[in-house]
Amino acid sequence: MTRAKLVHVVLALFLATIFLSVNVQAEPNEGVLFNIVADEYVDMMYLVAGDLDLDNKVDLVFSGWIDGGFIAFGEGNGMFEEPISISVSGSSNLTLGYVNTDALLDIIAVSNTTIYILLNNGDRTFTTTSWSNAAPSINFITTGYFNNDVFLDFVASPNKVYFGDGTGAFPSNNTLPFSDLYGADVSDFNLDGFDDLVVLEGSGTSTSRILLNDGNGNFSESSSLSLGALSISVSTSNALADFNNDGNPDFALITPVATACPASNYTSYGTVGLGDGNGGILATESFEVCGTAYNMTTADVNRDHKLDIVVADGRFKVLVVLLGNGDGTFQPPDETSFGTEEVTFVLAQGDYNRDGNPDFSSGGGLVHFDSIYSALNKQPGRPILPEPMVTTGFSSVAFEVINPEGFKISRLKNTVAGGRYERFDKDNDGQLDAQAYDYNLEYGEYTLVFRRRADITSPAIFDANISIGDSRHLTIFKDYETPGTAKGSAANDSIVFTISIDEFPQTVPESGETAFDVTPSFSWSGLSRNKFSSAISYDFQLDSKVDFSAPLISETGLANHTYSTSILLDRDKVYYWRVRSFDGAIYSDWSNSMAVYIGPFFCGDCNNDNSGPNILDLTFMVDYIFRGGPNSEILENADLNGDNFPSDILDLTLLVDFIFRGGAKPTCGI
């Protein structure tokens, strides 16, 4: 047996003695209701959750106390497939992130001897590299962007920052200004655009520190809190959010200390640090959990738009929920038993059964090698669409997505179950982008709030797209000027755009849809039925600015709910349009702004006459294919099926089907 294995076996036996010396089981509390589901036989010491195979189902990645690493792919119903092994050793702490330049979540792990990089191949296999790590007393790892490039970096025990190059390699590193990392979270605590750290330092000091980043991966302490000595050397998972809704990053952490609660039991002390936006701590709140807890997360468990804290108590094998009050304070702990003798102190969060509510998973393996335990939230479910929505802000903006029920996805506030906010260079242009993932898409009106990133200077532009599954790609901003300031929440500090996700389109074109005609036609018949049912006439406006500060078109008194533009619009540009109604006495409010993207070419306009696709384009393509005539001057126009082979027999077949049989309209891959 290796020294590393021996250390963990001894630790396991030591912890087993502590945890199993008390047989008290907490009774389930009906205040927060969960269904506990046990699934799959596992050995579990560290646990994270994410969608690794892009099937819109949450997967679990974990390592055992002694066994190696595993992935249990989610089935989408609260259950998991049989775990498959991955190439990490037992007792390896894990995290997920975009290590290389694809859109697949990769795995980074650290043991007491090795650091592992597992690049996702997209087919449930991984390419693994590793290097030696100085043996720390515990294993911890978290990711961020620390040296002002677009490649993911990470912090790992004992006290190193590793800088990535986007290929899966981490050729350089730096040392943090302390000796022993027990836990960490990443945010921009002084709002300067650079990732900072809040860390829990071990080595007997048990101090939490905010470390500010100079933009090059060099850190200096700005604030600290003394927490008392830790009882057992096992890594702590903290929580990060905006608990008091002031727009500044806050943090929470929990440490188990050997004091009576009641006699002979450990107490776990929680601390909430409310950030002041300058890298300091505005105020602190504290709470206690009776038992031994190392892992916590945040979620809106009871769906009241206030972030709650969720803790895994391994001593009593319970899930502890502290409901938030929205001001940085929390209600007393509410416990739900996992119904096992296993030591369940690991914790991960996701929407495992896709009902729109946050669920939680834990597991053990210390003694019985028991199951994956999922606490499925019993709040009423919501109608969830099968495809996820991914919103991307390119180059210079941070943003939040607010779903139809008012729940948010942002860097600091994820109240959407099955939602995630990530940052990486989506389009490989050397600029850091942001994405919000809503895996639980609903019908209704979504609100998007875009703000300038703190590290972006004026002037700057940004793009923003929405993708719904693989079928719908909407462009809502293109080369658009970012808001004037980086901080604050006033209306002039942000751009607000609403978009409706409907079962049937309410407008033509749908908001964000690509139009190929530079004189497009607009119809709002759906809005007329739903919002303007008493209309006698309509007003129509179109502008290149979302605030309609100087409309390019402003028509009044339209008798029908349609309008065709009379001016030529520019290609590769987004325009905004809106309508209002008049019932003979009163004007309605203007509708929400809707976007239309004029494509960079005219799909199907094979003969380049700025119209079509029609019989003249069909004749032109037949002449090219069968009689040796000229090809389209703009080849993209003739690539009707988007397969990068313009004016071939497949394009001709699609065009015939569209013109004569009412088949699908050519899209040219857009």
Side-chain angles (χ1 to χ4, degrees):
M1 181 180 295
T2 65
R3 179 179 180 275
K5 291 285 187 182
L6 179 61
V7 168
H8 286 291
V9 170
V10 172
L11 179 60
L13 293 174
F14 170 62
L15 289 176
T17 302
I18 293 174
F19 283 121
L20 298 180
S21 62
V22 179
N23 294 318
V24 178
Q25 287 287 318
E27 292 297 322
N29 190 307
E30 298 299 310
V32 178
L33 297 179
F34 296 93
N35 283 326
I36 303 299
V37 177
D39 181 34
E40 293 299 339
Y41 171 91
V42 299
D43 169 23
M44 188 180 292
M45 182 177 185
Y46 294 105
L47 172 67
V48 291
D51 182 10
L52 278 79
D53 55 351
L54 299 181
D55 65 351
N56 207 18
K57 300 171 185 176
V58 180
D59 312 313
L60 298 180
V61 186
F62 58 93
S63 68
W65 287 84
I66 299 173
D67 292 345
F70 298 89
I71 301 175
F73 287 97
E75 297 180 352
N77 58 3
M79 308 296 281
F80 297 89
E81 298 178 14
E82 182 177 350
I84 63 173
S85 63
I86 55 175
S87 300
V88 303
S89 63
S91 301
S92 293
N93 206 337
L94 308 137
T95 191
L96 305 178
Y98 297 99
V99 173
N100 56 2
T101 57
D102 61 26
L104 298 166
L105 281 174
D106 306 305
I107 302 170
I108 311 176
V110 57
S111 74
N112 66 336
T113 61
T114 309
I115 288 175
Y116 304 89
I117 309 297
L118 288 78
L119 298 181
N120 193 338
N121 297 321
D123 58 359
R124 295 191 171 188
T125 67
F126 295 80
T127 300
T128 304
T129 59
S130 63
W131 64 86
S132 298
N133 183 44
S137 58
I138 53 92
N139 308 326
F140 191 83
I141 191 166
T142 192
T143 61
Y145 294 89
F146 301 123
N147 62 339
N148 203 26
D149 62 21
V150 298
F151 307 126
L152 192 68
D153 312 313
F154 68 89
V155 171
S157 303
N159 59 352
K160 291 288 187 181
V161 185
Y162 293 90
F163 303 114
D165 65 4
T167 68
F170 293 80
S172 60
N173 61 77
N174 200 358
T175 302
L176 294 171
F178 63 90
S179 60
D180 208 358
L181 179 70
Y182 275 37
D185 270 306
V186 176
S187 193
D188 182 7
F189 287 99
N190 61 348
L191 304 180
D192 65 353
F194 303 125
D195 277 358
D196 307 312
L197 290 168
V198 56
V199 300
L200 177 62
E201 182 183 359
S203 301
T205 64
S206 188
T207 300
S208 179
R209 308 179 190 275
I210 291 180
L211 302 178
L212 298 182
N213 181 8
D214 67 356
N216 296 308
N218 302 307
F219 293 86
S220 59
E221 181 180 324
S222 69
S223 297
S224 65
L225 292 171
S226 179
L227 304 171
L230 293 177
S231 59
I232 304 171
S233 295
V234 176
S235 173
T236 299
S237 177
N238 306 327
L240 187 77
D242 179 12
F243 294 117
N244 60 346
N245 296 298
D246 65 354
N248 298 323
D250 307 320
F251 64 89
L253 50 87
I254 194 163
T255 55
V257 180
T259 58
C261 170
S264 302
N265 292 342
Y266 278 47
T267 302
S268 295
Y269 291 103
T271 301
V272 177
L274 303 178
D276 64 4
N278 296 308
I281 299 172
L282 182 67
T284 59
E285 298 288 339
S286 60
F287 60 89
E288 295 183 6
V289 173
C290 185
T292 308
Y294 297 93
N295 279 254
M296 64 190 306
T297 188
T298 62
D300 185 3
V301 178
N302 61 340
R303 313 299 285 156
D304 65 351
H305 296 266
K306 300 172 185 176
L307 283 172
D308 312 313
I309 288 177
V310 184
V311 179
D313 184 344
R315 188 177 188 86
F316 290 110
K317 298 85 175 175
V318 295
L319 186 72
V320 181
V321 176
L322 296 95
L323 296 177
N325 297 316
D327 59 0
T329 64
F330 296 85
Q331 299 176 30
D334 189 10
E335 298 178 349
T336 300
S337 174
F338 283 115
T340 178
E341 289 294 322
E342 196 53 84
V343 179
T344 50
F345 69 75
V346 296
L347 182 66
Q349 174 194 339
D351 183 6
Y352 302 124
N353 57 354
R354 302 204 66 239
D355 64 352
N357 297 312
D359 307 314
F360 305 91
S361 53
S362 188
L366 185 59
V367 177
H368 305 295
F369 286 15
D370 213 335
S371 301
I372 299 172
Y373 290 92
S374 295
L376 303 181
N377 197 322
K378 292 177 66 175
Q379 294 286 326
R382 288 154 184 78
I384 304 302
L385 302 185
E387 294 184 310
M389 182 174 82
V390 181
T391 304
T392 308
F394 291 93
S395 299
S396 62
V397 290
F399 65 94
E400 64 184 17
V401 175
I402 305 172
N403 80 357
E405 299 174 86
F407 298 107
K408 298 180 181 180
I409 304 173
S410 70
R411 189 176 183 187
L412 292 179
K413 188 173 290 295
N414 189 358
T415 58
V416 175
R420 198 172 83 244
Y421 188 88
E422 297 284 356
R423 297 172 302 143
F424 63 105
D425 184 7
K426 168 69 175 178
D427 54 357
N428 295 317
D429 67 346
Q431 298 290 320
L432 195 63
D433 309 314
Q435 284 197 333
Y437 300 77
D438 187 351
Y439 293 113
N440 288 331
L441 182 64
E442 306 174 29
Y443 287 130
E445 190 171 271
Y446 280 77
T447 301
L448 314 175
V449 183
F450 296 89
R451 293 190 174 91
R452 178 190 295 273
R453 281 209 331 251
D455 58 333
I456 299 297
T457 58
S458 183
I461 58 176
F462 76 98
D463 299 348
N465 296 339
I466 293 175
S467 296
I468 300 175
D470 295 324
S471 59
R472 296 167 68 187
H473 303 280
L474 310 177
T475 302
I476 56 176
F477 291 99
K478 175 74 173 174
D479 295 334
Y480 201 90
E481 185 177 352
T482 58
T485 57
K487 300 181 183 180
S489 57
N492 62 349
D493 293 336
S494 60
I495 297 175
V496 179
F497 190 84
T498 58
I499 191 161
S500 183
I501 307 300
D502 301 302
E503 185 174 6
F504 303 104
Q506 305 297 300
T507 63
V508 178
E510 179 185 13
S511 185
E513 187 178 354
T514 298
F516 297 107
D517 195 340
V518 292
T519 57
S521 296
F522 299 89
S523 171
W524 50 94
S525 60
L527 296 182
S528 299
R529 291 192 301 270
N530 298 331
K531 296 183 179 180
F532 305 143
S533 58
S534 61
I536 295 176
S537 64
Y538 304 95
D539 294 349
F540 174 92
Q541 288 186 340
L542 182 141
D543 198 359
S544 60
K545 294 293 184 182
V546 74
D547 60 359
F548 295 88
S549 54
L552 300 174
I553 297 175
S554 186
E555 294 284 348
T556 61
L558 298 173
N560 298 312
H561 45 68
T562 59
Y563 179 77
S564 297
T565 55
S566 57
I567 64 174
L568 297 179
L569 303 183
D570 293 333
R571 292 202 178 278
D572 197 22
K573 188 172 182 178
V574 175
Y575 292 88
Y576 305 93
W577 62 286
R578 64 181 183 178
V579 294
R580 68 177 179 181
S581 68
F582 182 64
D583 66 1
I586 299 174
Y587 286 100
S588 72
D589 292 333
W590 286 103
S591 67
N592 293 325
S593 300
M594 291 164 280
V596 57
Y597 175 49
I598 307 301
F601 50 87
F602 194 159
C603 185
D605 182 19
C606 303
N607 63 352
N608 201 32
D609 66 355
N610 210 33
S611 65
N614 53 35
I615 194 68
L616 296 177
D617 299 301
L618 177 62
T619 302
F620 188 91
M621 185 176 288
V622 168
D623 190 54
Y624 166 73
I625 294 176
F626 297 108
R627 302 188 183 101
N631 200 351
S632 177
E633 293 181 15
I634 303 174
L635 293 179
E636 291 92 338
N637 287 348
D639 184 16
L640 276 63
N641 61 356
D643 64 357
N644 295 319
F645 294 98
S647 298
D648 65 5
I649 195 66
L650 295 177
D651 298 310
L652 180 62
T653 302
L654 190 152
L655 190 56
V656 168
D657 193 51
F658 169 70
I659 294 175
F660 297 110
R661 303 189 185 100
K665 184 177 181 179
T667 62
C668 297
I670 293 184

